[in-house]
Amino acid sequence: MTGDGPAEGAGRDDRRAADLPPGVDLGRPSIARVYDYFLGGKEHFEIDRMAVAAAYEVIPELSRLAHDNRNHLRRAIRFLVADAGVRQFLDLGSGLPTVGNVHDIARNVDPAVRVVYVDNDPLVLAHGRALLSDDTTTLVLLADVRDTEAIFDGPEIRGFVDFDKPFAVIATSILHQFDDHEAYAVADRIKARLTLGSYVVISNFLDDDEPRANAADRAFLAGGLGTGRFRRWSEQREFFEGLEMVEPGFVYANDWRPDEYTPTDSPVHTLYAAGVARKPV
Ligand SMILES: C[S@@+](CC[C@H](N)C(=O)[O-])C[C@H]1O[C@@H](n2cnc3c(N)ncnc32)[C@H](O)[C@@H]1O
């Protein structure tokens, strides 16, 4: 996947509630389903699309945010597998396994890479398990990213990831869903769990002193999706404190090691920041 353009598609509104996996609540919008909508998937419903209607008024090219983010993630994974030698990934707040999945990207470089997907949306669990049921190098867990203890100390993951060896935690487009207190606490707990030489990938909505950031922040909140915090550079750099930044540092997402698929004309270029960092050995 290149993830280089918007492609919102039709959803699955004709599906009966009884046909949905257990726990899926169509009475409330879901971030995982909205994100799938942005990326051109089919796992979304009217309530999800309505939740972002106000945000679309602020940023008509809203879905480009998701594409730019996914595009950065693709480049970061390729770097981590091909250049940094990482063979184990924990994808926290992974989203629906529809477009450009971490294991697909990683396996293009090395088929032996292991990936743990963690999300608290039951639709992610259902799709992930259906898609990856025969796959012995992926694990899909239903868990709250804030509960780092349950994730890192769970028996399933302990039998799957070798925490004595370097691994990478992917925390892309997840910290902006938490208020400040929670976001820094989660980042700290993740960093505390990193083995020396392990990596973290972080991306977030960015408030780079332009009115769209604040307006979109408010529109997400009003849509009932919870927090979608656009944070300033200085606020976000704190997430990486104590770690060693990989070049080129914490930058606009499209400026992180761009390749031939990276958009050069993104209308939301200044609204997303991303970086990769390593726990020094
Ligand atoms: C915007 S998507 C990001 C997907 C992916 N990380 C990426 O960057 O492309 C955010 C995902 O985080 C999940 N999520 C939100 N809050 C969560 C929490 N507290 N625990 C686990 N997952 C969460 C949502 O269900 C959704 O699938």
Side-chain angles (χ1 to χ4, degrees):
M1 97 87 223
T2 60
D4 55 355
E8 301 97 313
R12 294 207 194 273
D13 299 87
D14 52 346
R15 246 180 342 178
R16 294 182 314 139
D19 297 334
L20 291 166
V24 173
D25 182 359
L26 292 190
R28 290 188 307 164
S30 135
I31 295 160
R33 299 188 318 238
V34 163
Y35 193 66
D36 183 66
Y37 171 56
F38 289 155
L39 290 176
K42 290 192 181 308
E43 302 304 324
H44 49 87
F45 299 84
E46 190 181 5
I47 193 162
D48 305 313
R49 298 186 295 274
M50 289 304 293
V52 283
Y56 266 99
E57 289 192 10
V58 177
I59 307 174
E61 313 87 355
L62 196 61
S63 69
R64 293 289 293 261
L65 285 169
H67 286 269
D68 287 0
N69 174 57
R70 245 6 242 188
N71 209 325
H72 160 262
L73 181 58
R74 173 184 58 76
R75 300 192 303 280
I77 301 301
R78 281 196 68 87
F79 161 80
L80 287 167
V81 182
D83 299 335
V86 174
R87 293 294 179 268
Q88 315 184 93
F89 287 85
L90 269 67
D91 189 356
L92 304 184
S94 58
L96 280 155
T98 46
V99 198
N101 298 304
V102 170
H103 69 281
D104 293 324
I105 299 161
R107 281 184 200 162
N108 278 334
V109 185
D110 181 350
V113 171
R114 296 190 151 220
V115 180
V116 183
Y117 290 112
V118 180
D119 206 286
N120 67 351
D121 191 308
L123 199 57
V124 174
L125 181 76
H127 278 272
R129 292 214 165 145
L131 184 75
L132 302 165
S133 60
D134 296 333
D135 194 322
T136 53
T137 49
T138 57
L139 181 65
V140 187
L141 299 176
L142 184 69
D144 192 312
V145 165
R146 290 166 292 191
D147 194 355
T148 353
E149 214 164 282
I151 295 171
F152 281 81
D153 295 332
E156 269 190 292
I157 206 169
R158 286 266 150 201
F160 188 83
V161 173
D162 181 351
F163 286 112
D164 292 332
K165 292 204 175 120
F167 56 92
V169 172
I170 301 167
T172 53
S173 269
I174 178 78
L175 296 178
H176 58 220
Q177 285 164 34
F178 304 137
D179 64 24
D180 287 345
H181 174 72
E182 280 183 329
Y184 292 114
V186 170
D188 284 348
R189 289 203 289 270
I190 292 173
K191 286 187 285 189
R193 292 290 186 147
L194 294 180
T195 313
L196 300 185
S198 290
Y199 291 82
V200 67
V201 184
I202 293 178
S203 69
N204 259 265
F205 291 154
L206 175 69
D207 175 358
D208 195 15
D209 262 339
E210 59 164 305
R212 288 187 301 173
N214 267 325
D217 201 317
R218 284 195 301 273
F220 277 124
L221 206 52
L225 273 172
T227 302
R229 281 286 329 273
F230 285 69
R231 294 194 167 92
R232 305 180 76 81
W233 288 110
S234 56
E235 292 175 302
Q236 303 207 38
R237 287 206 175 94
E238 278 185 47
F239 292 141
F240 297 99
E241 240 171 51
L243 303 179
E244 200 174 76
M245 294 307 298
V246 168
E247 286 297 316
F250 189 57
V251 294
Y252 294 128
N254 286 328
D255 288 345
W256 199 90
R257 299 183 180 230
D259 60 15
E260 70 268 38
Y261 303 113
T262 309
T264 52
D265 61 346
S266 173
V268 293
H269 182 83
T270 54
L271 290 174
Y272 237 113
V276 176
R278 178 170 177 263
K279 189 153 184 171
V281 180

